[in-house]
Amino acid sequence: REGRERARLWRSEQRIELRADERHRTVTRTPCHRARLRQPERHGGRSRTQADCNMSTDEAPAPAFVPQKEIVYNKLLPYSDRLDRESDDILAKIKGHLGRAVLLRELWPGVLFWTRKLSTYIRLYGRKFNKEDHVLFIKLLYELVTIPKLEISMMQGFARLLINLLKKKELLSRQDLELPWQPLYEMLERILYSKTEHLGLNWFPNSVENVLKTLVKSCRPYFPEDATQEMLDEWRPLLCPFDVTMQKAISYFELFLPTTLPPPLHHKGFKLWFPELMDLWVSVQNLPGWEGHLVNLFARLASDNIGYIDWDPFVPKIFTRILRSLNLPVGSSQVLVPRYLTNAYDVGHIVIWISSMLGGPSKQTQQQLSGLFNSITSFFHPSNNGRWLMKLMKLLQRLPASVVRRLHRERYKKPTWLTPVPKSHQLTEQDITAFVESMKQPVLLAMFSKTGSLEAAQALQNLALMRPELVIPPVLEKTYPAMETLTEPHQLTATLSCMIGVARSLVSGGRRFPEGPTHMLPLLMRALPGVDPNDFSKCMITFQFIATFSTLVPLVDCSSALHERNDLSEVERELCSASAEFEDFVLQFMDRCFALIESSTLEQTREETETEKMTHLESLVELGLSSTFSTVLTQCSKDIFKVALEKVFNFATTNIFETRVAGRMVADMCRAAAKCHPVESLKLFVPHCCNAINQLTVSDDVLREEELDKELLWSLQLLSEITRVDGDKLLPYRPQLVPILRRTLHLKCKQGYSLSCNLLHHLLRSTALIYPTEYCSVPGGFDKPLSAYLPIKDWGRPGDLWNLSIQWHTPSAEETAFVFYILDTLLQPELLRLQGHAEGQLEMSRDDILQSLSIVQHCLLGAGSLLPALDGQPVPNLVPSMVSLEETKLYTGVDYDTSRENYREAICRVMRKLLHHILEHSEDDTKSLFSIIKIIGDLLHFKGSHKHEFDSRWKSFNLVKKSMENRLHGRKQHIRALLIDRVMLQHELRKLTVEGCEYRSVHQNLLRDLLRLSTSTYSQVRSKAQSVLFTALGTYNFCCRDLIPRVLEFLWPEQQHVTQQQFKGALYCLLGNHNGVCLANLHDWDCIVQTWPALVSSGLSSAMSLEKPSIVRLFDDLADKIHRQYETIGLDFSVADSTLAIAAQIVQTPLPLSSVPLPSAQDVETGRERQRARNQDALQKYEKLVHTLLECLAQRNLPWKFEHICIGFLSLLLRDDHPLPPPAVRFFVQSLNHDALIVRKMAISAVAGVMKQLKRPHKKVELNPYEISGCEEPGELMAGDRKDNRWLQYDGKNLLKTQEAWEACRFVEKTHWGYYSWPRKLLLYAPVQEQPPLGRSRDEMNEMEQIIFDHFSDPKFVDQLIKFLSLEDRKGKDKFNPRRFCLFKGLFRNYDDAFLPVLRPHMERLVADSHESTQRCVAEIIAGLIRGCKHWSFAKVSPLSLSHSLQLFHSLLEHKRVSN
């Protein structure tokens, strides 16, 4: 039905036609699509392909939706049947609103808002759009990112999204997409080689270079086939080894030249430049700075064209240069050449080059590689150390990984449009063996390196994937002796680390190394002594070792299979026999853990005066112990588990542990057991703990005791941990658990009720959350008869992504009812008590309030996933927009029951009342305020997961994946537990995706409360509230605009009642945290036009005191952060017309079809008007900000520090697209003679920038160099002196002594032009009469020019300026200052020789003075004069006029020679 409706809609509206051949061409079935077709009923509901099948025969079938590449893990979520429709709806909205925003020319907020939504969509669903939409998104983003005057922060946002869209290049071929290269080149030239950035007229972020280069790399495969020749024509003229442009040219070649053209187009690709650049590389011997870029280009070329280039003639030279680049010490002197350190080749590209040249008929590369490693092997010896070692270790680590990548590409990777490796040049088995043999010896030496064994372990991991039989035996030979020795712990940790790397290859066995699995049990048994409380590093690596091997192997006793089966091989029989030891291993491991715990008790490790909290090392040991024990029990058979359970139960119940260190470790072990098999574990633990607690709390006196019995505390801790299991297994114990909670939640002892709150939290969390309940390496566990299933055959087996059979816990109706029963029973009374106290009807002590808040907080943490988000009216009029800025709501498996009370809103109401009551009556109750701040944070953000926990798990997942992945076979060949973990992370990611939430009145109230707490009297309260506030600021759309005026109220001088604490709190709110929003520096005119003047004016506030170091440091940090993070804010928000056509296509494409209508002609015209108005508004706010800051500076009592801050802000406001207003120009020119050195320095930079703004454009004309030289264009390239460039060269016989000769001469200022080749268009300056006039009178100048002219024509002003400039800045460290040079260059360029009469006497005096500072000053002036007179007429630059200056220059050089 859905398919028919869509087909009818498309036909009726006739918006787009899809030809059948195009449809079939774009349909490429990804693995995800195959899975969907193979298992359409799997997630409930019909697939879209089934809907098509049910159409009547007279209707044309709707085209099937084929995603480019979706995230497969979404298919494994328990609510996956709803995600197809959800993703369709979200994508349709994104297409509609993004297209509409572009058509209405609303870059901000519309386009920026919906491109962020698209970025979030890709993070959640992958590239789940069809090929047509994929191409259109890329084209739209490409048009947006290359808008010439686009604000830099917007450009970076669009660029990052475009990089993400282009990331999987196999999805789009060159036939699907073509992108021009010139717009990217122009953007890089404008930003990376900016002519105005060094003058402070543009402020770019530090990240912009990496973003732009990554963008070019992503677009490079889609450049047109003629692009290579166009690039060569553009950049060959820059090739001149005597000029800095050589570096620029080679950098551009490395970055832009396409190397993925198909073989039929090679004549238009690398064949145009390879011989030329290779000859250049061979000819240089002194390692110039640009040589590394050439090597990077050759490495990429080799990788993309394996088998199509004959490298044999160059192989010896290549390896010689690589060896030289390693900069190894040779001989006794060990001289290190500095430039070999800075200009050395990048190891990442070296390994790509080497691995791409391997194989082929000649085998020369392998011979050279073996020779290279033979020559450097001794440097890997553990006794050798130096700064060269890091590079060697990196080479060792990355080379095997690169060869594995190549092997994967040749043998296992799905074919794509990219050029495949010819059969003749694919790596043979012999090639692989030779490669592994050549690397084996250095890797085995590097295992014990002083830098650690990580690189060697990663190298061994990749080598073992290729040749386990060559790599693993020598590692085992080193490991067994290391396990026996007690005196060399470093040897043990190094070998265990390497064994972890090769674990999967060892355990899997296979035809190459079938005896590998037989080593597993001996290794595990010998590793047990490593669980040593006296050696932390050995203990942790042992835990990692045991956990890794246990994850790969089912710990099942298969010895009886020897008698039941006769189909076993010799190795299998040996493994079955050895598996009888698994039970001994588990029990011995537990004994080791118990010994570790007993030596970790507080009594053993603490003095009386020390803290009772866990140390960092102890917490790491606890984490290692619990995760390893959990892994071991997960992989155990039921029989072994029962023995282990009995053992851990006896240990936990026959001892009483303190609850800080040892108790936590034992409770973790019990929790691990309970999670593996909840039914058996709970049957043992729950009755025991409940009986113990009931017996110990029979007397009501216990409730009032401040110090509780240790047995009661231990029983509570144990019970709270074992309830962290599958929720439905807990339901039978409700009658026992709920009375325990009622009895213990109101204990007077804080430690007691805290443990009871943990029990409450875990009980709710276990029943309310969605999570996997088992992580076995095999679906369904190991408890099957050995005749039907032999576990040893699953050793090292990867999980099957499409048959994971994840067992999910989803809250049943009974569990949900139980959660709300607990909330009604335990939370509701606490809320009523707190409300009564807040309203003054009930007296509560501070301890009682804290106890109630603790219960409320733990209820919220436990049941948060079942409570709907806070709702309310959206805050109006935050930003004007013609596009919907609606919130995207994601389904996370929970259908909220609206018939029940929304406890999130109830908690919110009570907390606000209580907060206001405490702030008015007992603000010093900081502990309660801490709890309220935590609760507010959870009310706003918590839906079952915390961001920091998710980040930690994501990082841990990636580390484990990297240490155990099989990069050779690829295709997500991970172990099952890791795949389940990844699916769970996908679920948590959906819960935590809160970007772009609508800002509602309830959020507004809570943020204002947080702001009040952020300006509290107590510093810790301020700090905790600010942390929550900063998180909220990054969550809700445009809430900063609502909050900034309220923050600034604390800074304005008119506010007389503001305390110092409130003042500091407001400053911290503006400063933000290290990675969050900085309110003082939002890239928005509406915001900084308020914040910057307020910061400056706060210097007059009664609460400001420069005598307090903390306040001084705060202002320093604020000014520093603003200067570091400021990026030039845009004034022009125009959108090119070419972008509009693509946007219209996006709105109209089907699958899914957007319901957002195209804007009407009237809407489009309104959008155009609003864009003009926004440009005008931005310009007005810019000028208003400049004038406001100048008014702040005019305030009489402004302290010097704030004057400097204000001048710093003004200097940030110089731009290259709009001149600085005249009052600001006057201020900066006058500040050249300011008393403060820092102000003079800022003024010099600013006036130099103003000079650039006022520079008049000079006309250029196109000329043909061959006509000037009278030569024909040569047929081939030839560098150096030629007939066609002879007219450029200096000729002493034909000096320009007359005006006619001067004007007839063609001056070429670019010293590199013509050396190698000529530019496509040779543009030279037009004759003098066509240039801006020189010698202007004052009346011919504009207002800004007049201000500068008046000041520099004043002898007193110049006299004072020269005095300041000739002062010594730092004794003995005075250097030529480029900014001062730019100042004088601008003066002489813009005003020609108008100021020479005033400056000449000073120049004569300075030249005659022998002091270094005066010599430096006159050198800056003369340099500025020489560069600034470029466009002067012959009369002004003739020897007669400049003879004096030349004499000064000669005198200056003479002084320098004498002083040297």
Side-chain angles (χ1 to χ4, degrees), residues 665-678:
M665 292 182 180
V666 179
D668 284 338
M669 291 181 73
C670 297
R671 181 191 72 215
K675 271 193 169 181
C676 292
H677 293 281

Side-chain angles (χ1 to χ4, degrees), residues 227-245:
T228 301
Q229 186 61 56
E230 292 169 2
M231 292 173 190
L232 292 171
D233 293 342
E234 183 72 35
W235 298 317
R236 269 176 177 153
L238 303 181
L239 293 175
C240 176
F242 313 112
D243 202 307
V244 291
T245 56

Side-chain angles (χ1 to χ4, degrees), residues 558-576 785-793:
C558 304
S559 56
S560 59
L562 292 170
H563 312 294
E564 295 178 23
R565 301 180 62 149
N566 55 11
D567 58 343
L568 303 177
S569 67
E570 191 60 40
V571 171
E572 287 174 340
R573 293 179 67 81
E574 188 178 342
L575 292 180
C576 285
L786 292 175
S787 56
Y789 166 69
L790 192 61
I792 60 167
K793 291 185 181 292

Side-chain angles (χ1 to χ4, degrees), residues 831-1077:
L831 291 177
L832 291 173
R833 289 178 69 205
L834 291 171
Q835 184 171 349
H837 176 69
E839 292 172 353
Q841 299 168 4
L842 178 67
E843 275 297 319
M844 291 177 71
S845 69
R846 292 187 177 187
D847 288 340
D848 290 343
I849 295 172
L850 194 59
Q851 187 178 49
S852 292
L853 286 172
S854 185
I855 295 170
V856 170
Q857 185 191 352
H858 284 84
C859 284
L860 180 56
L861 287 173
S865 58
L866 294 181
L867 304 178
L870 297 172
D871 202 4
Q873 289 299 314
V875 178
N877 305 322
L878 283 175
V879 287
S881 177
M882 295 178 69
V883 182
S884 168
L885 304 176
E886 63 192 67
E887 182 177 342
T888 304
K889 293 186 177 176
L890 301 173
Y891 182 73
T892 54
V894 178
D895 294 301
Y896 298 115
D897 187 350
T898 52
S899 65
R900 300 180 187 273
E901 181 174 3
N902 186 348
Y903 276 104
R904 195 183 291 266
E905 290 187 351
I907 293 170
C908 180
R909 283 194 304 272
V910 174
M911 287 305 110
R912 293 200 68 221
K913 286 181 181 177
L914 180 64
L915 172 62
H916 297 158
H917 177 81
I918 291 176
L919 289 176
E920 286 170 20
H921 297 94
S922 54
E923 193 182 355
D924 59 339
D925 185 6
T926 54
K927 290 183 179 178
S928 296
L929 291 178
F930 294 162
S931 282
I932 291 173
I933 290 166
K934 281 182 183 175
I935 291 169
I936 290 176
D938 291 334
L939 284 170
L940 288 169
H941 311 298
F942 185 73
K943 296 179 185 175
S945 300
H946 280 113
K947 179 75 166 59
H948 66 275
E949 290 173 355
F950 172 80
D951 291 341
S952 174
R953 287 189 60 188
W954 189 269
K955 187 177 177 182
S956 171
F957 164 79
N958 281 313
L959 286 171
V960 174
K961 183 179 85 167
K962 192 173 181 182
S963 71
M964 298 182 69
E965 67 185 334
N966 184 338
R967 279 194 168 274
L968 182 59
H969 294 91
R971 300 181 186 237
K972 297 186 168 51
Q973 295 278 304
H974 305 300
I975 55 174
R976 181 170 179 267
L978 206 59
L979 290 170
I980 294 174
D981 209 26
R982 177 63 182 83
V983 178
M984 182 58 188
L985 286 169
Q986 187 67 20
H987 170 62
E988 291 194 345
L989 177 65
R990 292 179 60 80
K991 287 197 293 184
L992 287 165
T993 300
V994 291
E995 184 190 3
C997 290
E998 200 158 9
Y999 185 49
R1000 302 177 182 277
S1001 54
V1002 63
H1003 306 135
Q1004 186 182 48
N1005 293 331
L1006 287 172
L1007 261 62
R1008 288 179 179 179
D1009 289 340
L1010 285 171
L1011 177 59
R1012 188 173 172 186
L1013 288 164
S1014 298
T1015 53
S1016 161
T1017 307
Y1018 299 95
S1019 62
Q1020 284 188 308
V1021 173
R1022 293 199 301 268
S1023 176
K1024 291 180 186 297
Q1026 286 156 12
S1027 179
V1028 177
L1029 178 66
F1030 297 147
T1031 305
L1033 290 177
T1035 302
Y1036 301 103
N1037 294 332
F1038 316 114
C1039 61
C1040 298
R1041 293 169 156 256
D1042 177 57
L1043 216 62
I1044 282 175
R1046 293 185 167 270
V1047 177
L1048 299 183
E1049 285 176 7
F1050 295 100
L1051 302 184
W1052 290 114
E1054 296 82 18
Q1055 302 287 344
Q1056 298 297 323
H1057 61 279
V1058 176
T1059 65
Q1060 274 198 353
Q1061 288 79 11
Q1062 289 175 320
F1063 188 77
K1064 281 175 67 175
L1067 290 176
Y1068 273 113
C1069 289
L1070 289 176
L1071 180 63
N1073 54 11
H1074 66 283
N1075 57 357
V1077 178

Side-chain angles (χ1 to χ4, degrees), residues 363-390:
K363 315 294 183 197
Q364 188 181 355
T365 303
Q366 182 57 57
Q367 293 168 12
Q368 292 285 341
L369 182 62
S370 300
L372 175 69
F373 276 118
N374 285 338
S375 63
I376 64 174
T377 295
S378 60
F379 288 94
F380 289 103
H381 194 278
S383 62
N384 291 326
N385 198 15
R387 50 183 171 178
W388 39 266
L389 185 58
M390 293 301 294

Side-chain angles (χ1 to χ4, degrees), residues 620-904:
L620 287 175
V621 169
E622 181 208 10
L623 181 63
L625 170 66
S626 60
S627 62
T628 305
F629 188 62
S630 176
T631 304
V632 168
L633 290 190
T634 301
Q635 293 292 97
C636 278
S637 65
K638 199 76 169 280
D639 294 335
I640 297 177
F641 174 80
K642 286 177 181 176
V643 179
L645 176 63
E646 190 70 32
K647 190 177 181 74
V648 77
F649 175 73
N650 290 335
F651 182 69
T653 54
T654 55
N655 295 285
I656 297 171
F657 296 96
E658 45 75 26
T659 56
R660 307 290 188 185
V661 181
R664 281 179 58 169
M665 292 182 180
V666 179
D668 284 338
M669 291 181 73
C670 297
R671 181 191 72 215
K675 271 193 169 181
C676 292
H677 293 281
V679 176
E680 294 83 352
S681 305
L682 293 176
K683 196 182 293 182
L684 279 178
F685 281 105
V686 174
H688 171 84
C689 293
C690 291
N691 289 338
I693 294 168
N694 284 328
Q695 287 174 12
L696 293 165
T697 56
V698 168
S699 168
D700 289 343
D701 294 339
V702 175
L703 302 179
R704 294 185 290 275
E705 289 179 5
E706 293 192 3
E707 287 291 330
L708 288 179
D709 183 82
K710 283 188 177 181
E711 185 181 355
L712 175 57
L713 291 174
W714 166 233
S715 299
L716 274 172
Q717 184 175 36
L718 187 55
L719 185 61
S720 71
E721 288 298 321
I722 59 163
T723 49
R724 294 171 68 174
V725 296
D726 192 353
D728 61 346
K729 307 295 189 298
L730 284 171
L731 292 180
Y733 298 98
R734 281 176 293 185
Q736 293 159 272
L737 293 171
V738 175
I740 294 285
L741 285 172
R742 283 181 171 154
R743 187 73 174 160
T744 57
L745 277 174
H746 291 93
L747 292 167
K748 187 170 185 181
C749 171
K750 184 178 179 181
Q751 194 177 356
Y753 77 69
S754 296
L755 290 170
S756 184
C757 283
N758 286 341
L759 171 60
L760 170 66
H761 171 202
H762 296 152
L763 197 57
L764 289 170
R765 197 172 167 80
S766 297
T767 45
L769 282 182
I770 295 173
Y771 49 85
T773 57
E774 55 83 31
Y775 286 85
C776 270
S777 61
V778 178
F782 316 115
D783 299 316
K784 303 165 190 170
L786 292 175
S787 56
Y789 166 69
L790 192 61
I792 60 167
K793 291 185 181 292
D794 283 334
W795 283 26
R797 172 186 164 187
D800 179 358
L801 190 61
W802 292 111
N803 292 296
L804 277 185
S805 304
I806 303 177
Q807 302 298 311
W808 287 99
H809 170 266
T810 51
S812 62
E814 190 179 3
E815 287 174 283
T816 306
F818 175 56
V819 169
F820 280 96
Y821 167 73
I822 289 183
L823 295 180
D824 294 340
T825 309
L826 301 175
L827 174 62
Q828 184 76 9
E830 302 304 324
L831 291 177
L832 291 173
R833 289 178 69 205
L834 291 171
Q835 184 171 349
H837 176 69
E839 292 172 353
Q841 299 168 4
L842 178 67
E843 275 297 319
M844 291 177 71
S845 69
R846 292 187 177 187
D847 288 340
D848 290 343
I849 295 172
L850 194 59
Q851 187 178 49
S852 292
L853 286 172
S854 185
I855 295 170
V856 170
Q857 185 191 352
H858 284 84
C859 284
L860 180 56
L861 287 173
S865 58
L866 294 181
L867 304 178
L870 297 172
D871 202 4
Q873 289 299 314
V875 178
N877 305 322
L878 283 175
V879 287
S881 177
M882 295 178 69
V883 182
S884 168
L885 304 176
E886 63 192 67
E887 182 177 342
T888 304
K889 293 186 177 176
L890 301 173
Y891 182 73
T892 54
V894 178
D895 294 301
Y896 298 115
D897 187 350
T898 52
S899 65
R900 300 180 187 273
E901 181 174 3
N902 186 348
Y903 276 104
R904 195 183 291 266

Side-chain angles (χ1 to χ4, degrees), residues 304-498:
D304 292 338
N305 298 278
I306 297 173
Y308 292 94
I309 299 172
D310 181 16
W311 292 101
D312 286 355
F314 310 107
V315 166
K317 173 72 76 175
I318 290 169
F319 277 91
T320 302
R321 294 279 180 96
I322 289 172
L323 181 59
R324 184 185 70 178
S325 174
L326 295 174
N327 203 21
L328 299 174
V330 180
S332 57
S333 60
Q334 299 196 357
V335 176
L336 297 176
V337 183
R339 73 166 177 274
Y340 288 168
L341 296 175
T342 54
N343 298 344
Y345 300 163
D346 175 48
V347 173
H349 287 90
I350 287 175
V351 300
I352 291 172
W353 201 1
I354 293 173
S355 61
S356 302
M357 293 189 297
L358 288 171
S362 73
K363 315 294 183 197
Q364 188 181 355
T365 303
Q366 182 57 57
Q367 293 168 12
Q368 292 285 341
L369 182 62
S370 300
L372 175 69
F373 276 118
N374 285 338
S375 63
I376 64 174
T377 295
S378 60
F379 288 94
F380 289 103
H381 194 278
S383 62
N384 291 326
N385 198 15
R387 50 183 171 178
W388 39 266
L389 185 58
M390 293 301 294
K391 185 171 284 191
L392 284 183
M393 296 299 282
K394 203 180 286 185
L395 175 68
L396 204 67
Q397 170 198 348
R398 294 189 179 184
L399 187 54
S402 185
V403 174
V404 165
R405 271 197 304 274
R406 178 176 166 186
L407 264 179
H408 170 70
R409 170 184 166 190
E410 291 178 359
R411 300 186 179 185
Y412 303 102
K413 194 174 182 182
K414 185 181 171 186
T416 66
W417 63 272
L418 294 163
T419 307
V421 179
K423 291 280 185 188
S424 59
H425 283 75
Q426 290 183 359
L427 293 175
T428 63
E429 298 299 321
Q430 181 187 352
D431 293 332
I432 297 168
T433 303
F435 172 74
V436 175
E437 286 282 9
S438 68
M439 287 210 67
K440 186 170 70 171
Q441 191 57 36
V443 172
L444 292 173
L445 277 174
M447 282 172 61
F448 306 108
S449 167
K450 288 185 172 68
T451 61
S453 55
L454 179 64
E455 291 89 354
Q458 290 176 355
L460 285 166
Q461 180 183 355
N462 287 304
L463 291 172
L465 286 173
M466 296 184 280
R467 287 291 180 270
E469 74 278 12
L470 295 178
V471 175
I472 298 179
V475 179
L476 286 170
E477 286 174 16
K478 294 178 182 292
T479 304
Y480 282 123
M483 287 177 156
E484 303 299 331
T485 181
L486 298 173
T487 56
E488 296 185 35
H490 172 67
Q491 188 180 356
L492 178 65
T493 53
T495 51
L496 287 186
S497 175
C498 293

